[in-house]
Amino acid sequence: MLAETGGRTATVERKTKETEVFVSLDLDGTGDYDVDTGIGFLDHMLEQLSRHSLIDLKVRAEGDLHIDFHHTTEDTGIVIGEAVRRALGDLKGIRRYASALIPMDETLTRCAIDVSGRPYLIWKVNFTKPKLGDMDTELFREWFQAFAFNAGITLHMENIYGENNHHIVESCFKSLARSLRDALEIDPRKADAIPSTKGMLGT
């Protein structure tokens, strides 16, 4: 995996026999996005992630879609997560914790995160159908897990209620986006400090 960083930006490339993924992002952006994974619904979700987190995001992915969408979905989560981790550097000055409660019509979803360098995922999201269009709904958990573990984020995601599977998924991405926007923001009262009594994060 090749990476470049500077300021709170990062560019990461990952090439395997299954996928080639390129991600460039700016944590202090305005929510500009340019996304092409070859999976229309995933593109739509990553655009939501960018717009509502204010993270500028460029994604290019080519994968073995003739097999299924699994490798491309998971590897996109891996590389975006890795780019976030690299852009954060030593985690100095961030607010670290955040949560968001996002309604979308009949759906309500809650996300809580700790940007601690200690990855974990709690996923309490159920779907009533195995697919959204051509995409397997089980792949959304794979994306969130790949993202959380490579970003070094403790991520708790819970769909409290909802009926429409599109709304459920979209509210998950939007609640993550709003949580990232708050947690990754530099706290002006502690801009030079690691947000931990240990003086370090990640262990």
Side-chain angles (χ1 to χ4, degrees):
M1 191 176 292
L2 301 175
E4 297 178 3
T5 58
R8 296 222 306 167
T9 67
T11 298
V12 179
E13 294 180 77
R14 184 176 192 266
K15 294 183 180 182
T16 71
K17 292 181 179 180
E18 298 167 340
T19 65
E20 294 186 10
V21 182
F22 168 92
V23 170
S24 180
L25 58 76
D26 182 352
L27 299 182
D28 300 310
T30 59
D32 289 337
Y33 54 80
D34 180 7
V35 177
D36 184 0
T37 67
I39 305 172
F41 195 86
L42 181 59
D43 289 352
H44 180 46
M45 293 302 100
L46 297 180
E47 290 166 358
Q48 299 296 330
L49 180 70
S50 171
R51 178 55 54 88
H52 295 287
S53 66
L54 298 184
I55 296 173
D56 290 346
L57 180 65
K58 181 175 182 178
V59 180
R60 291 289 183 272
E62 294 183 6
D64 52 4
L65 301 183
H66 63 287
I67 297 175
D68 64 12
F69 293 171
H70 186 282
H71 297 141
T72 301
T73 300
E74 182 177 31
D75 289 4
T76 300
I78 288 171
V79 181
I80 294 174
E82 176 71 13
V84 168
R85 186 184 66 80
R86 290 181 179 274
L88 282 169
D90 62 5
L91 306 179
K92 185 179 292 185
I94 63 169
R95 295 187 184 276
R96 179 177 170 180
Y97 297 101
S99 62
L101 191 64
I102 297 295
M104 190 170 183
D105 294 349
E106 86 298 341
T107 296
L108 186 66
T109 297
R110 173 169 51 214
C111 176
I113 64 174
D114 175 12
V115 185
S116 61
R118 296 191 305 274
Y120 205 89
L121 176 68
I122 295 295
W123 178 258
K124 294 186 177 182
V125 181
N126 296 308
F127 300 102
T128 60
K129 296 180 179 180
K131 285 184 177 290
L132 271 173
D134 293 328
M135 189 165 185
D136 296 330
T137 49
E138 68 179 10
L139 294 181
F140 295 111
R141 186 188 189 282
E142 299 299 320
W143 187 91
F144 278 86
Q145 178 164 291
F147 172 79
F149 273 71
N150 285 273
I153 290 174
T154 297
L155 168 58
H156 290 236
M157 182 69 69
E158 179 182 19
N159 173 239
I160 300 170
Y161 48 78
E163 298 175 5
N164 183 289
N165 290 282
H166 186 131
H167 295 165
I168 291 170
V169 174
E170 189 163 338
S171 62
C172 288
F173 276 89
K174 286 180 174 177
S175 61
L176 173 62
R178 290 296 306 191
S179 297
L180 288 171
R181 178 175 173 177
D182 292 341
L184 303 186
E185 187 177 51
I186 299 298
D187 187 340
R189 294 190 296 172
K190 285 288 186 178
D192 295 323
I194 299 293
S196 171
T197 55
K198 293 188 295 186
M200 63 181 297
L201 289 171
T203 57

